[in-house]
Amino acid sequence: MTAAQGFRHGLRTAIVSVFALVLVGTYVSVGALAHDFGFSASWVAAQTVLIWAAPAQVIMITAMGAGASPLEVAIAVGLSAVRLMPMVVALLPILRTPRTRGWQLVITAHFTAASMWIEALRLAPDVPREARIGFANGLGVAFMSVAVASAVGGYFLAFSLPTALVAALLFLTPSSFLIGAIRNSRRMVDWLALAFGLALAPVLALGAVRLDLLWTGLVGGTAAYLVQRLRGGR
Amino acid sequence: MSVLGDLWPYVVLVLVGFLPNEIWRWLGVVAAHRAGEQSEFLTWARAVATAVLAGVVAKIIFFAPGALASVPLAVRLAATVVAVIAYLLIRRSIFAGVLCGSIALVLGGLVLAP
């Protein structure tokens, strides 16, 4: 399989993935939010391509809409995006070959977000290694295209959607992420990280701990890793 | 000036949106540079990323944003359980799990509307 065939395989895989549907739900609400806060449709489309992380986009829209200073917005966006780093670290070694260039990794890293990460982590090992970067980019391009179209659609339509439907759309994110993480869990460390993360985040948030998600990841992930090490499992 | 005025929202987007977000992906590229596919560092990074993802799931369910908050917490938790059980029972299909969870959420919200 060539890189171009891998790319087309990624496009086809993404379009029939349940995460394409999840992105429709997520980005319809991002588009509607941008509309409500007075941004333009082309701006939210550009934001989706450039940031490509729904939580950071929601934070940026609401913070700027509320009149926060540029520095405050940048800090809030930056804090929400720390989670992208371990995702990129865990994914790239699976995708690259010894001949992969640095700029190619920067492009694939840009496409890395929760939906693409879950699907690439599961499916890339079945793709021949020389086609994996193309496959991941195909996933990313297709998912991003769906997201941009949904954000623009949501910008013009979503403010008239019934509350029950919007609630169901918002529920797509946690349910699909949870099932995706369950499906991707093979080793004990994956299951422990999942359980620790589910348990820690609400406790830290209730305790009004600052940077709760960051601590959830560092404490929960490190604890899962250490238990695996101590038990001697792989 | 009007050209700058039109472009200004995009300049702001790059400076306070794209850069503080993308820097973490670039740092990930740098950190992944030396990690091998089977390395301990990679196992740890994956555990951290999985724990954060699980944390995002738990926070959305417990502290629901926007319209999702109109559905009672008990219904949100029950719909999550329905989604996972449906996934396990129906051919390990994420689509089946997500669909059944969403149906449970809407029905539960209608029955137990506050």
Side-chain angles (χ1 to χ4, degrees), chain A residues 89 187 189 225-226 228-230 233-234, chain B residues 35-47:
Chain A
V89 172
R187 302 191 293 165
V189 59
Y225 171 74
L226 289 177
Q228 169 109 350
R229 284 289 308 251
L230 291 174
R234 289 290 318 173
Chain B
E37 197 176 346
Q38 305 296 333
S39 76
E40 293 292 309
F41 175 62
L42 192 70
T43 302
W44 175 76
R46 180 166 170 166

Side-chain angles (χ1 to χ4, degrees), chain A residues 147-170:
Chain A
V148 169
S150 304
V152 173
Y155 186 90
F156 292 108
L157 297 172
F159 46 87
S160 59
L161 290 178
T163 307
L165 180 59
V166 178
L169 291 177
L170 288 170

Side-chain angles (χ1 to χ4, degrees), chain B:
Chain B
M1 187 62 207
S2 89
V3 172
L4 187 62
D6 290 341
L7 284 178
W8 187 242
Y10 296 91
V11 174
V12 171
L13 172 57
V14 169
L15 292 181
V16 311
F18 172 75
L19 287 176
N21 187 69
E22 198 72 5
I23 185 105
W24 297 106
R25 290 185 172 119
W26 294 336
L27 289 173
V29 173
V30 172
H33 182 60
R34 293 192 152 275
E37 197 176 346
Q38 305 296 333
S39 76
E40 293 292 309
F41 175 62
L42 192 70
T43 302
W44 175 76
R46 180 166 170 166
V48 170
T50 301
V52 177
L53 195 69
V56 170
V57 169
K59 274 193 79 177
I60 295 176
I61 292 168
F62 278 93
F63 313 99
L68 191 54
S70 68
V71 179
L73 175 63
V75 175
R76 302 196 298 262
L77 288 171
T80 307
V81 173
V82 167
V84 171
I85 291 175
Y87 158 75
L88 293 174
L89 293 183
I90 308 173
R91 296 186 304 138
R92 304 237 155 191
S93 154
I94 293 197
F95 182 77
V98 168
L99 184 69
C100 292
S102 295
I103 291 171
L105 184 92
V106 172
L107 290 180
L110 289 176
V111 174
L112 292 174

Side-chain angles (χ1 to χ4, degrees), chain A residues 184-192 228 233-234, chain B residues 43 46:
Chain A
N184 282 3
S185 293
R186 299 215 169 81
R187 302 191 293 165
M188 182 175 65
V189 59
D190 302 323
W191 290 106
L192 289 174
Q228 169 109 350
R234 289 290 318 173
Chain B
T43 302
R46 180 166 170 166

